Amino acid sequence: MPKKKEKGKEVAEVGGDTSSRVAPTKKKVKKEADVNGWLDKNVDELVSALGLEYLGLSRDEYLEILRRPVELLYGSPTTKPDVETIVKRFRRFSENVYPLIAVALLNLKEDLKSEHLDFIVNNIGKAVLEYAPKLYKEAVRLGREDVLPTLRRLWRIAWIEQHSKTLPVTCPKCLFNSLTKDMYCLVCGSVVTEKQLKEFLDFRELLKNYVNSVSCEELKELTRYDYVLLNNNGIKHPKEVREEGIDIEVLLSNDEKTLIRQKYRELCGDELRVEGTSRY
């Protein structure tokens, strides 16, 4: 009587050893571009073609600031572009790649030279919001106050595009629109007092213009508060919706409160009852 085959052995004999018959699956290895090798070979020619010699950097420093842009512009790993092709791509996508060079240079150098500052200011773009404190410091250190108007303009454009259409109040020290609700400057790091801010903005004149522009109802409501809100657009009523982090609470002095009451009586012809003021 034939012996019964064990179940496992029977399967093996019928189907055979499948592992010996099925070819192993080959994994496709994605070829990566040798950007570092290309750049090491062509960096001198690339620097010359891009007109970056005036930055006066070492060869290693040029490799550092150009690596990321070349990675983005290199193209297919199966082809090796020539320098002329890469230069054309630099020019075509200049708005995207030159800010990368500017940021890399800014991070590379602890102390900038004047030519470095010029290049960065002209190419930093929207990244100015992050790097304005160092750029301001370096401009002052180098005595290059001439670049500050450009930096302030770039700051305003980037703020509106990336944060809010409402600009913060101007800092009395560095003149950037960068004063937070706590009256701390995001650019120069100054902490401003209410007295300094009022003097800088000619706050009393601002208040006069504001009370002349609002309705009697709003003006009467204002007399119940002991503060107003302030941003780069001017004074806001305390009941208006706040721009978080931008609107500053400015306390009203007794003289300023009196000005509001007098203007109400003058414009609206109504007597005011003496009421307690509130910050809420």
Side-chain angles (χ1 to χ4, degrees):
M1 183 174 182
K3 293 182 179 179
K4 288 186 178 180
K5 295 181 180 179
E6 293 180 13
K7 187 176 182 181
K9 289 182 179 180
E10 185 178 10
V11 171
E13 287 182 13
V14 172
D17 185 357
T18 57
S19 63
S20 65
R21 295 190 299 109
V22 178
T25 303
K26 292 182 179 180
K27 292 184 178 179
K28 291 184 179 181
V29 178
K30 185 178 180 181
K31 186 175 180 181
E32 294 184 359
D34 183 15
V35 175
N36 289 337
W38 186 95
L39 187 56
D40 187 61
K41 179 182 177 181
N42 296 289
V43 65
D44 297 329
E45 186 180 351
L46 183 61
V47 168
S48 178
L50 294 173
L52 298 178
E53 305 103 316
Y54 77 96
L55 294 177
L57 303 177
S58 69
R59 192 172 191 277
D60 285 344
E61 288 172 331
Y62 279 119
L63 288 172
E64 182 67 26
I65 68 170
L66 292 173
R67 182 171 289 108
R68 182 57 180 155
V70 172
E71 285 178 353
L72 295 174
L73 299 174
Y74 193 85
S76 172
T78 60
T79 59
K80 288 187 178 181
D82 55 25
V83 172
E84 184 180 356
T85 298
I86 292 293
V87 170
K88 286 180 180 178
R89 292 172 184 173
F90 261 91
R91 290 169 180 161
R92 181 180 177 185
F93 300 104
S94 59
E95 290 186 3
N96 296 319
V97 295
Y98 274 87
L100 297 177
I101 301 175
V103 169
L105 178 58
L106 192 54
N107 288 327
L108 185 66
K109 293 290 189 181
E110 186 172 344
D111 295 325
L112 300 177
K113 293 181 179 179
S114 190
E115 55 269 27
H116 301 158
L117 182 64
D118 283 328
F119 177 84
I120 293 167
V121 170
N122 289 329
N123 293 285
I124 191 71
K126 297 176 183 178
V128 69
L129 291 181
E130 181 178 354
Y131 293 97
K134 181 174 181 179
L135 288 171
Y136 174 77
K137 180 181 177 182
E138 289 296 285
V140 172
R141 181 183 67 82
L142 292 167
R144 292 292 311 277
E145 284 80 3
D146 59 297
V147 305
L148 293 180
T150 300
L151 279 175
R152 293 182 188 116
R153 177 179 59 81
L154 290 172
W155 171 278
R156 291 193 294 269
I157 293 171
W159 185 278
I160 290 171
E161 289 183 354
Q162 298 183 57
H163 284 290
S164 168
K165 291 183 179 180
T166 303
L167 290 166
V169 174
T170 303
C171 170
K173 181 176 180 181
C174 67
L175 304 182
F176 280 75
N177 292 96
S178 50
L179 212 58
T180 68
K181 67 176 183 178
D182 300 319
M183 291 197 284
Y184 168 79
C185 179
L186 296 171
V187 175
C188 68
S190 299
V191 178
V192 180
T193 65
E194 277 196 352
K195 181 180 179 181
Q196 291 172 325
L197 185 61
K198 284 184 175 182
E199 289 176 356
F200 172 73
L201 296 175
D202 193 0
F203 181 76
R204 188 174 178 84
E205 193 63 28
L206 280 180
L207 187 60
K208 284 181 181 178
N209 292 334
Y210 175 74
V211 296
N212 281 322
S213 68
V214 298
S215 67
C216 287
E217 183 180 349
E218 290 172 308
L219 198 53
K220 186 173 184 178
E221 185 73 24
L222 184 60
T223 63
R224 300 189 177 99
Y225 288 84
D226 60 5
Y227 74 97
V228 292
L229 300 176
L230 185 68
N231 60 41
N232 190 63
N233 295 331
I235 291 174
K236 285 174 60 174
H237 198 286
K239 293 190 74 173
E240 288 189 56
V241 177
R242 297 193 184 203
E243 290 268 6
E244 187 59 36
I246 296 176
D247 290 343
I248 297 174
E249 278 190 13
V250 179
L251 289 174
L252 296 168
S253 67
N254 289 332
D255 285 344
E256 289 158 354
K257 293 175 188 176
T258 299
L259 183 153
I260 294 170
R261 290 190 176 94
Q262 288 176 341
K263 184 60 64 173
Y264 176 79
R265 285 192 289 266
E266 176 186 326
L267 296 176
C268 306
D270 188 11
E271 289 298 321
L272 289 167
R273 291 181 299 166
V274 178
E275 299 179 5
T277 55
S278 170
R279 297 193 67 190
Y280 303 99

